[in-house]
Amino acid sequence: LKLINQLLQTIKKEDIAEMLPVYLLEQYRLVDKATATLFIHQPPTIQDQVNAIRRMKFEELFILQLQLVRLRLLRTKEVGIVFDQLGKFFNEFYHQYLPFELTGAQKRVLKEIRKDTLSGSQMNRLLQGDVGSGKTIVALLSMLMGVDNGFQAAMMAPTEILAQQHFTGIREMLSPLGLEVEILTGSVKGKKRKEVLARIANSEIDILIGTHALIEPTVVFKNLGIVVIDEQHRFGVQQRAQLRTKSVIPPHILVMTATPIPRSLAMVFYGDLDYSVIDELPPGRKPIKTLHKRDANRLAVYGFMRDEIAKGRQIYVVYPLIEESEKSDLASLMEGYESLIQSFPRPQYHISVLHGKMKPELKEIEMQQFIKHNTHIMVATTVIEVGVNVPNASVMVIENSERFGLSQLHQLRGRVGRGAEQSFCILMTGDKLSNDSKVRIKTMCETNDGFKVSEVDLDLRGPGNIEGTQQSGDIQLKISNLALDKAILEEARNAAVKLLEQDPDLANPQHIGLRNYFRMHASFIIDWSQVL
């Protein structure tokens, strides 16, 4: 503190360059930077310090939003493929083979995607929808728009299990149309892989579904028109960018997530993308009942599980598997598996087991046993967190649930509740819980709304790394807090949008402070040196 005070005495107000234009200071009632720099350390009053902090937070968030909005504007100017036809495949599937009536939200999102693909600019759209809201059917119809216009479509999923499930479901739905649907994952090897690669290059495959194998250099599309990235938070920024290079004219990109994102985070993580939300669940879905049970209640929980199995239902039992303690966690899962075998003995009950250390072919065998109702209970790690769809499964038991984050608990809960029957999520814990664990468990029991869950999760865990390479912690902001400064972020976003709409190259003399700033900071997200 003494050093800071000595340093402040050596600085003159005129030495501190003002970055923000005068009209922004007046519009948002912000003190100038020199005053803020002084008062944040040596405020005459508490209110002076509050004003100084607000000014610094606004500047930090405004600079970030300028970069993201600028990127978005550049992308909208990038030439894109035009899908000017809604032809045979889209119309025939929509009118004759659609498995259910679309919700109003799904129709609204399809209109937004249709508008994007007609605009002549490349689409970059984020589609957010809670688990079970029907994102996949929207993605499929979007890919059919591309196929109708003579282009190939691709869907990239984070795991082989999810890629295989998408492949099986989409191929079955499209079978009456005679389209070529293929899968490419790390498990596709040798002669089969060469054959698939050749068919992709020759445009003999209309829709390709796969994992990160799709971005390998050996995968060459003849005319890729649209890419869907499912559960995009599982992929890095570079992986997503590589898909853009798979076509001479960048393909349209639709990224999807079932992880609810608070608006404040969406403006930061995906501020360069257009944003769609499916905020309705299909009709007939019953809200999942979430219950908290302690280890002492285990026998009663087992009795409930037997009752559900007697009704013809199936059950997930999920154990944590955390990287730092993989061996002990895996042992815990196998101990739980052995315990369940004792409580649910053959031949009356059949149990599957699934975890990340298993070979892909064995995983697939175990998953298919559960999907085909040949087993009653699936004992698994979080490999079933994303995308696995078994409508007959009505109970999700999460062991050691205090070790999971809220977002992960919500994702796991979404594996049930996909049929017409009442479903249940049972959160098992020990007796001693931290305060954060109590908040997470309480939130899960009180609401099924993923957006409410995500707000609490943001407050508890922090916003995460801006490029999505970590799921919690700091977001490389020095003074702002996205959980607390949502109003300031909203103001900063609006100001950035308005400024760049009027002066995209910061050529106005009023913006010389911003122009100089970006010239000095070449390491930021956008290379402004190209436009200044």
Side-chain angles (χ1 to χ4, degrees), residues 83 85 87-90 140-154 174 177 179-180 205-208 223 225-226:
F83 293 168
Q85 302 290 324
K88 173 191 172 184
F89 297 117
F90 182 96
L140 175 54
L141 286 163
S142 301
M143 290 192 290
L144 288 177
M145 292 180 194
V147 175
D148 267 334
N149 286 274
F151 293 95
Q152 295 168 287
L174 296 183
L177 303 183
L179 290 174
E180 291 295 322
I205 293 173
D206 299 300
I207 296 177
L208 180 66
N223 57 345
I226 183 168

Side-chain angles (χ1 to χ4, degrees), residues 488-503:
I488 299 176
L489 175 60
E490 191 87 37
E491 289 179 337
R493 174 74 174 185
N494 293 338
V497 169
K498 189 172 182 179
L499 185 152
L500 288 174
E501 284 176 348
Q502 297 173 355
D503 185 17

Side-chain angles (χ1 to χ4, degrees), residues 373-519:
H373 303 182
N374 293 332
T375 54
H376 301 102
I377 300 173
M378 167 66 75
V379 180
T381 61
T382 54
V383 292
I384 57 96
E385 174 189 348
V386 174
V388 175
N389 184 18
V390 182
N392 192 55
S394 65
V395 180
M396 167 65 68
V397 179
I398 305 176
E399 296 284 353
N400 303 120
S401 58
E402 69 272 20
R403 295 179 61 186
F404 293 87
L406 254 179
S407 177
Q408 199 170 37
L409 288 173
H410 184 66
Q411 284 276 335
L412 287 167
R413 175 167 61 182
R415 296 308 104 217
V416 295
R418 291 169 171 261
E421 304 301 326
Q422 179 64 61
S423 290
F424 303 85
C425 177
I426 301 175
L427 306 176
M428 301 295 298
T429 71
D431 289 328
K432 294 182 179 179
L433 297 177
S434 68
N435 289 333
D436 281 1
S437 294
K438 289 176 182 177
V439 171
R440 287 196 295 270
I441 300 297
K442 183 173 183 286
T443 301
M444 286 290 293
C445 292
E446 288 180 348
T447 182
N448 280 288
D449 187 330
F451 292 95
K452 290 181 181 177
V453 168
S454 71
E455 291 287 352
V456 178
D457 199 30
L458 173 60
D459 292 341
L460 289 176
R461 296 202 307 162
N465 181 280
I466 191 168
E467 292 191 344
T469 55
Q470 65 186 59
Q471 292 188 358
S472 63
D474 295 331
I475 202 166
Q476 300 177 335
L477 295 174
K478 294 178 180 178
I479 190 169
S480 307
N481 183 318
L482 294 184
L484 302 176
D485 299 324
K486 297 167 190 173
I488 299 176
L489 175 60
E490 191 87 37
E491 289 179 337
R493 174 74 174 185
N494 293 338
V497 169
K498 189 172 182 179
L499 185 152
L500 288 174
E501 284 176 348
Q502 297 173 355
D503 185 17
D505 296 331
L506 303 183
N508 190 312
Q510 296 181 91
H511 301 146
I512 188 170
L514 292 168
R515 190 160 66 247
N516 291 337
Y517 176 83
F518 283 111
R519 278 177 172 160

Side-chain angles (χ1 to χ4, degrees), residues 26 68 95 104 126 176 226 306 311 349 351 370 452 462 522 524:
E26 293 174 350
L68 292 169
H95 294 294
L126 169 69
I226 183 168
R306 292 188 189 96
K311 296 175 186 176
Y349 302 101
I351 303 175
F370 193 63
K452 290 181 181 177
F524 273 79

Side-chain angles (χ1 to χ4, degrees), residues 24-62:
L24 277 186
L25 299 181
E26 293 174 350
Q27 180 179 353
Y28 293 99
R29 300 180 192 177
L30 301 171
V31 298
D32 62 85
K33 188 162 188 174
T35 301
T37 303
L38 178 63
F39 285 1
I40 204 168
H41 297 291
Q42 296 177 338
T45 68
I46 292 176
Q47 187 59 48
D48 286 324
Q49 187 174 52
V50 169
N51 293 340
I53 291 172
R54 179 173 175 270
R55 150 65 203 236
M56 292 304 194
K57 287 182 175 183
F58 181 93
E59 178 181 298
E60 183 173 51
L61 294 170
F62 178 67

